[in-house]
Amino acid sequence: AQRVTQPEKLLSVFKGAPVELKCNYSYSGSPELFWYVQYSRQRLQLLLRHISRESIKGFTADLNKGETSFHLKKPFAQEEDSAMYYCALKGNTPLVFGKGTRLSVIA
Amino acid sequence: DSGVTQTPKHLITATGQRVTLRCSPRSGDLSVYWYQQSLDQGLQFLIQYYNGEERAKGNILERFSAQQFPDLHSELNLSSLELGDSALYFCASSVGEGTLPSGANVLTFGAGSRLTVL
């Protein structure tokens, strides 16, 4: 079975502080991992995916197969990063999402 | 707008009733996915269609059905509605079928249809 766990429902950080949104997954095969983000009053949209190995809006995420994790990181949080973040896994079925973490960046 | 379009945005109905949610995929996308988002369950995959054919089925109740038409738009039919069916229903689309790791499988989401069952 495919499962994604985001242990934190809410994460509050101060502007300029580092951010780490945790994501752990369960899948026996080779997964494809994604982070999606939903800003206030906007649609759910792709932030980044592990295959691209890119940095988007200062965010990075590294797939750690040993720890089955795909944590999202940013060295310096900005107020505009406040949003709902979802980790998602694609194995042999369509995307399975975690329950999401709400990031609140405090000025 | 060439993005994913969902109608209606909001729908209020009574228990036992039937509703139809509509989705037009992004131009050029052949796959359509339906997800249900309720407060406690997060985003739950319901069903996927690719070029008119059912491709994958998730936690979709027997009271729910879907189809994808030749013009690639899709409809999700919810019948014998219960209070617990109240949720946000998202449609998403992608270019690819979803069988291989590929940028063609990145999902583009619609704004959602909020269903309230009273």
Side-chain angles (χ1 to χ4, degrees), chain A residues 32 34 36 38 43-44 46 49 51 86 90 94-99, chain B residues 4 33 35 37 40 43 45 48 56 98 101-103 106-107 109-110:
Chain A
E32 198 176 350
F34 302 80
Y36 278 77
Q38 188 170 29
R43 303 177 182 204
L44 195 60
L46 177 70
R49 49 193 205 118
I51 282 182
Y86 294 92
K90 186 183 177 330
L95 276 185
V96 172
F97 286 84
K99 293 190 177 181
Chain B
V4 178
Y33 307 77
Y35 284 84
Q37 185 180 42
D40 294 331
L43 275 159
F45 167 67
Q48 176 202 359
S102 165
V106 171
L107 301 190
F109 279 82

Side-chain angles (χ1 to χ4, degrees), chain A residues 40-99:
Chain A
S40 179
R41 298 191 191 89
Q42 293 187 29
R43 303 177 182 204
L44 195 60
Q45 58 187 283
L46 177 70
L47 180 61
L48 54 79
R49 49 193 205 118
H50 90 271
I51 282 182
S52 302
R53 302 184 68 82
E54 58 199 343
S55 173
I56 303 292
K57 298 185 179 183
F59 285 98
T60 58
D62 290 319
L63 177 61
N64 186 322
K65 291 188 177 181
E67 296 183 358
T68 59
S69 68
F70 188 57
H71 303 328
L72 183 68
K73 299 177 184 178
K74 185 170 183 177
F76 308 104
Q78 303 298 315
E79 287 179 76
E80 55 265 31
D81 296 329
S82 294
M84 195 73 184
Y85 291 80
Y86 294 92
C87 182
L89 177 154
K90 186 183 177 330
N92 55 7
T93 67
L95 276 185
V96 172
F97 286 84
K99 293 190 177 181

Side-chain angles (χ1 to χ4, degrees), chain B residues 85-97:
Chain B
D85 297 328
S86 295
L88 198 53
Y89 291 84
F90 284 107
C91 173
S93 69
S94 69
V95 171
E97 188 176 351

